[in-house]
Amino acid sequence: MKEENCIFCKIASGEIPSYTLYEDNLFKVFLDLSPTSFGHALLIPKEHYANLFELDDDIASKALILAKKVATAMKASLQCDGFNLLQNNGEIAGQTMFHFHIHLIPRYKDDNTKIIFDHKSLKEEDAKTILDTIKKCL
């Protein structure tokens, strides 16, 4: 399935050109045109899924295996010092392209790329509430 106005669907079909690192019948991996680091790439399924919650389980498992394969090749060839895999779901979580994708971000010493979390302390009563609430849905 393809979304008519989705840029990533158009990239997946070849309607919009890309700097493609990898492609098979299910996925395409291409360089991000607004990279946060040298080698920053995006992994997308060719079928349209808006986010993780719509993603087929089989595609989800294959996406992570492919992310590992490509990240391993990128780490070896680009000689980066570390690696981030980043995946956002929903506008509030930073998703701007509503086609499931995984950012493959090589990291280098002193690259000035920042992924910031505002850490708080977990209170015991909150932990119990969270565990009870989520476990009911599993």
Side-chain angles (χ1 to χ4, degrees), residues 75-135:
K75 189 171 183 329
S77 61
L78 298 175
Q79 299 178 345
C80 55
D81 301 305
F83 216 92
N84 287 116
L85 292 180
L86 180 64
Q87 202 281 308
N88 302 318
N89 296 281
E91 188 174 348
I92 194 70
Q95 185 178 11
T96 57
M97 297 296 292
F98 295 92
H99 181 119
F100 175 86
H101 59 285
I102 301 172
H103 292 264
L104 305 167
I105 307 171
R107 298 302 303 273
Y108 305 90
K109 185 179 178 185
D110 301 322
D111 65 13
N112 293 318
T113 295
K114 306 276 188 275
I115 298 173
I116 300 171
F117 295 96
D118 184 15
H119 295 279
K120 298 165 180 48
S121 295
L122 179 62
K123 298 175 186 162
E124 186 172 348
E125 67 182 49
D126 289 342
K128 289 178 182 179
T129 299
I130 293 166
L131 291 173
D132 290 342
T133 303
I134 295 172
K135 285 180 179 182

